[in-house]
Amino acid sequence: MVLVWLIIVTLISRDKFGQGSSAGYSKNNTRPMTQESERMNEVRHIGFLKVHKAASSTLQNIFYRFGLKRNLSFILPKKSHYLSKLKYFYNPIFPSFSANNVTPQNNKYDILCNHVVFNHDVISDLLHEDAVFIAIVREPFDLFLSAAYYYKYKWEFPYLVALENETFITDLIRYPDKYEAETMSESMTYNPMAYDFGLDFTNVAEGENITQEAFGDFLSKIGNIFRVVLLVEKFDESLILLKRHLMWRMEDIMYVKNNVYLSVDKNVADQASSVSDEDMLKFRVRNRFDYGIYNMFKERFEKQLSLEHKIDEETKNFQAAQRTVDQYCLNMKAGNAIDSHPLVINATIWNSAFTVSENDCNLLLMDELHFFDLMKSRQLTLGRHYGQ
């Protein structure tokens, strides 16, 4: 299986996907950049914080594909697909600097996009000095519901499985001391965004003892570190903002939704409707750190968006192209493709023409864990190149 995907990676570098040049824009300029200047200026050194249940697997797919096409190196954990579940303990990196004579350029990696509990000191030592730090946030109650169902029914986390199906949402809200996981490395429902961003607490009791002053200092710190923070609720606008900040092209941000758990949507809606106003007040206190992070970055996102020139028009153009790509790839997956020719996305004021092939679709549709295995196999090949 890995050999097949390695062949695909080889082919993708020769494919026509990405041969066009998406227009680069400033706030007050709609003149597209040339392909040469775009490639010279595009950001290739990235630290992406993969926040749980916040469309982060879709973004990871985007970063994986971007790096594959450019032979970039990735910080990949040697065991599992988590680089860390604890702030001060990181899993060994695959491959290590000493293994098989593998040494990334200047002992630095190009991209981080796997799950990690954020520790700026550790991560900044692994990335290039000019790396741009990026994250994504989601409305905390929506994230809480999504995580509670996903990790109870799909991954069967013990602390969630132990709760009654009919009342586990309200039980978690009303009695976190009783029903939450014993440690934050096991919890996906108690301020999970704050934990991903590196707020220093290991359980509910420690979280309750964090002062507002200490949390304010934490917000200031991460606010200065993360240059671009996307918003799940405005996902397509976020991608256009990302594209502009990183000087990428439209084909670089194409996506098919990844790791979406749909089988319990009706139950989610039913339980959400049973949450009272009093419960919501409790939840806002319970997950106050997530709300603090979300509100800060949402406010900044909206300000950034308001300063961007004609971003609504570019977003609509992107959405039309994305729907076309999405349908083309899904039809190909289902065996309903009209023909085997690559899909052509025509040029507009916002993008140059580009094509999407079957190989591109394979990568767009690849699930997170299979893509991770592919990246590890491919990194060994890249490592041999560095070691020469």
Side-chain angles (χ1 to χ4, degrees):
M1 181 68 178
V2 169
L3 177 60
V4 172
W5 289 121
L6 284 174
I7 293 171
I8 289 175
V9 170
T10 303
L11 291 173
I12 205 77
S13 65
R14 303 172 185 171
D15 199 86
K16 294 181 180 179
F17 184 63
Q19 292 301 307
S21 166
S22 173
Y25 300 91
S26 67
K27 299 177 210 174
N28 301 308
N29 182 19
T30 58
R31 186 173 60 190
M33 298 174 62
T34 65
Q35 182 174 345
E36 291 76 14
S37 63
E38 222 172 8
R39 284 195 173 278
M40 286 176 59
N41 289 293
E42 69 178 12
V43 174
R44 296 186 173 191
H45 299 153
I46 295 160
F48 171 60
L49 179 60
K50 191 175 185 296
V51 173
H52 288 85
K53 302 313 296 174
S56 59
S57 293
T58 301
L59 281 163
Q60 181 188 58
N61 182 283
I62 288 172
F63 291 123
Y64 275 167
R65 288 184 289 109
F66 179 85
L68 274 175
K69 289 172 60 182
R70 291 157 178 82
N71 263 349
L72 303 181
S73 60
F74 286 77
I75 302 175
L76 299 174
K78 189 173 183 179
K79 298 179 180 179
S80 85
H81 61 292
Y82 277 77
L83 187 58
S84 75
K85 292 187 177 182
L86 299 170
K87 184 173 181 177
Y88 300 109
F89 178 80
Y90 276 49
N91 289 323
I93 296 171
F94 179 89
S96 66
F97 288 152
S98 60
N100 300 319
N101 198 28
V102 172
T103 305
Q105 293 174 343
N106 304 316
N107 291 335
K108 300 289 185 180
Y109 292 86
D110 297 315
I111 296 176
L112 164 70
C113 62
N114 275 69
H115 277 304
V116 65
V117 178
F118 189 71
N119 184 324
H120 185 250
D121 292 338
V122 174
I123 294 172
S124 60
D125 280 345
L126 295 169
L127 293 171
H128 293 273
E129 289 184 5
D130 62 350
V132 174
F133 285 93
I134 298 163
I136 186 166
V137 294
R138 183 178 182 181
E139 196 283 321
F141 187 64
D142 287 345
L143 186 150
F144 167 77
L145 288 176
S146 176
Y149 273 89
Y150 182 73
Y151 291 106
K152 178 178 175 68
Y153 292 110
K154 183 166 183 177
W155 290 107
E156 298 184 346
F157 274 41
Y159 84 100
L160 293 172
V161 172
L163 298 177
E164 295 292 334
N165 291 345
E166 294 77 14
T167 61
F168 80 101
I169 292 296
T170 51
D171 286 342
L172 284 168
I173 292 173
R174 295 170 187 173
Y175 314 110
D177 291 342
K178 182 177 181 180
Y179 292 119
E180 266 294 345
E182 292 185 5
T183 66
M184 285 308 303
S185 62
E186 300 169 301
S187 174
M188 294 296 174
T189 47
Y190 181 76
N191 292 285
M193 277 197 297
Y195 188 70
D196 282 344
F197 271 94
L199 186 62
D200 204 355
F201 63 111
T202 61
N203 53 46
V204 173
E206 287 186 12
E208 295 302 310
N209 289 329
I210 295 175
T211 66
Q212 192 58 39
E213 180 181 5
F215 183 57
D217 291 342
F218 173 77
L219 288 179
S220 297
K221 182 178 180 179
I222 62 173
N224 290 328
I225 291 172
F226 288 92
R227 175 177 163 187
V228 183
V229 178
L230 314 182
L231 210 63
V232 169
E233 293 78 18
K234 289 187 177 290
F235 189 69
D236 289 339
E237 293 88 344
S238 293
L239 288 179
I240 298 301
L241 191 66
L242 180 74
K243 166 185 170 290
R244 292 184 178 193
H245 274 267
L246 301 186
M247 307 297 284
W248 285 10
R249 295 166 292 172
M250 190 170 79
E251 54 266 40
D252 296 326
I253 60 169
M254 285 293 152
Y255 70 92
V256 175
K257 286 183 181 179
N258 205 322
N259 205 20
V260 179
Y261 189 50
L262 301 174
S263 64
V264 292
D265 273 359
K266 184 180 184 301
N267 289 331
V268 171
D270 289 344
Q271 285 230 18
S273 66
S274 71
V275 175
S276 67
D277 291 343
E278 183 180 356
D279 289 329
M280 282 305 304
L281 288 174
K282 289 181 179 179
F283 180 77
R284 287 181 174 275
V285 174
R286 176 196 193 278
N287 281 33
R288 62 191 178 280
F289 303 131
D290 276 6
Y291 275 104
I293 290 169
Y294 177 77
N295 290 336
M296 177 182 74
F297 284 126
K298 180 184 178 185
E299 181 180 357
R300 191 173 80 180
F301 175 87
E302 290 173 344
K303 287 180 180 178
Q304 288 176 324
L305 209 63
S306 70
L307 296 174
E308 293 291 328
H309 185 71
K310 294 187 177 181
I311 196 165
D312 288 342
E313 291 184 19
E314 186 173 1
T315 300
K316 289 177 182 177
N317 176 74
F318 167 69
Q319 288 171 332
Q322 191 275 327
R323 286 192 296 269
T324 302
V325 171
D326 189 274
Q327 193 60 53
Y328 172 78
C329 288
L330 291 176
N331 283 340
M332 185 164 289
K333 179 181 180 181
N336 298 327
I338 296 175
D339 57 49
S340 58
H341 291 97
L343 172 69
V344 177
I345 300 296
N346 294 323
T348 72
I349 185 177
W350 303 107
N351 64 278
S352 296
F354 64 94
T355 60
V356 181
S357 69
E358 182 177 359
N359 287 335
D360 298 317
C361 287
N362 288 333
L363 294 176
L364 279 159
L365 292 165
M366 190 178 294
D367 69 83
E368 177 181 351
L369 296 182
H370 281 99
F371 214 149
F372 173 64
D373 288 340
L374 167 63
M375 296 301 287
K376 288 178 73 173
S377 299
R378 170 260 179 194
Q379 189 117 319
L380 283 175
T381 303
L382 184 63
R384 286 194 288 272
H385 167 72
Y386 282 132
Q388 289 176 349

